[in-house]
Amino acid sequence: MHAACEDRLSGLLPLLPYRFSEEELVQAVSTLIGRPIYVEARDMKGNFACGLRERYSDREVISFEINTSPLHRSHIICHELAHILCGHKGSIRYADIPSDEELADMIDWSVLGISARTSYEEQDEQEAELMASLIVQRMYRATVMPAKRPTAANERWNAMFT
C-alpha cells in the first residue's frame, strides 16, 4: 500500500512547487483530475465525521469540521484529496449517516459518491490516511528542509545555509 501511495504521489509532486500550501495542493489535484475542487468549513456537529468528500460529475466538494486545529484541518483535507487521487468512489449512503438530520440535510443527494472520515476499518480509508500522512509530511518537511535542487531564489538561499 505504501508503494502504491508513493507511486500516485509521483504524478502529483511535479505539479507543485517545493514548498506548497494547502491551496496549491488543492489546485494541483484539481488540474490532475480535470474538475474543480471546492473546500469548505462545515459544522459537522461532532458526531459523524470530521471530513467529508462529495463526488459529483462536474466537481468535488471537500468539507472539514469548522472547529478543529489548523494541522488537523490540513490532514482532513489531504485525506479527502487522497480519496480523489486514489480513485475511491465513496462508500457512504444516506442510511449510513447516524440519525443526524442536520448533517444529512447538508448533503446534495444527487451526489455520485461520498467518503467520510469516520473510521479506518475499510481499505479505502486506510489508503487515504496513509496517503494523507505522506502528503502532510512533504508539506511540512519542505518548510524546514532546503530543496535538494533549489530553483527559486529563496530555495537557493536556504540551501546555502543548511
Side-chain angles (χ1 to χ4, degrees), residues 4-71:
C5 288
E6 289 284 359
D7 194 45
R8 282 191 188 93
L9 283 179
S10 69
L12 174 66
L13 294 176
L15 301 175
L16 292 164
Y18 176 68
R19 288 188 172 94
F20 60 93
S21 67
E22 206 173 87
E23 293 79 20
E24 289 169 316
L25 175 63
V26 170
Q27 184 56 50
V29 175
S30 178
T31 298
L32 196 64
I33 65 168
R35 288 190 317 280
I37 300 172
Y38 301 99
V39 178
E40 58 187 35
R42 285 189 185 174
D43 183 354
M44 300 288 195
K45 308 297 181 197
N47 61 2
F48 177 63
C50 55
L52 187 71
R53 170 208 167 203
E54 297 165 88
R55 183 176 58 90
Y56 298 90
S57 60
D58 62 341
R59 70 193 181 285
E60 300 277 346
V61 178
I62 293 174
S63 303
F64 62 91
E65 170 56 48
I66 195 167
N67 298 311
T68 195
S69 70
L71 185 57

Side-chain angles (χ1 to χ4, degrees), residues 113-132:
I114 299 175
S115 298
R117 191 168 186 259
T118 55
S119 72
Y120 304 102
E121 295 170 10
E122 305 281 328
Q123 182 172 344
D124 283 3
E125 290 301 321
Q126 292 170 10
E127 187 174 33
E129 189 65 9
L130 174 58
M131 195 146 174

Side-chain angles (χ1 to χ4, degrees), residues 53-130:
R53 170 208 167 203
E54 297 165 88
R55 183 176 58 90
Y56 298 90
S57 60
D58 62 341
R59 70 193 181 285
E60 300 277 346
V61 178
I62 293 174
S63 303
F64 62 91
E65 170 56 48
I66 195 167
N67 298 311
T68 195
S69 70
L71 185 57
H72 190 218
R73 168 200 153 132
S74 288
H75 196 84
I76 292 167
I77 292 169
C78 288
H79 177 97
E80 301 306 336
L81 288 170
H83 279 300
I84 296 169
L85 290 167
C86 293
H88 298 159
K89 302 297 183 204
S91 57
I92 303 297
R93 298 167 313 196
Y94 186 80
D96 295 328
I97 296 181
S99 67
D100 188 338
E101 291 178 20
E102 283 189 63
L103 182 59
D105 289 343
M106 284 191 242
I107 297 169
D108 172 358
W109 288 97
S110 67
V111 68
L112 297 175
I114 299 175
S115 298
R117 191 168 186 259
T118 55
S119 72
Y120 304 102
E121 295 170 10
E122 305 281 328
Q123 182 172 344
D124 283 3
E125 290 301 321
Q126 292 170 10
E127 187 174 33
E129 189 65 9
L130 174 58

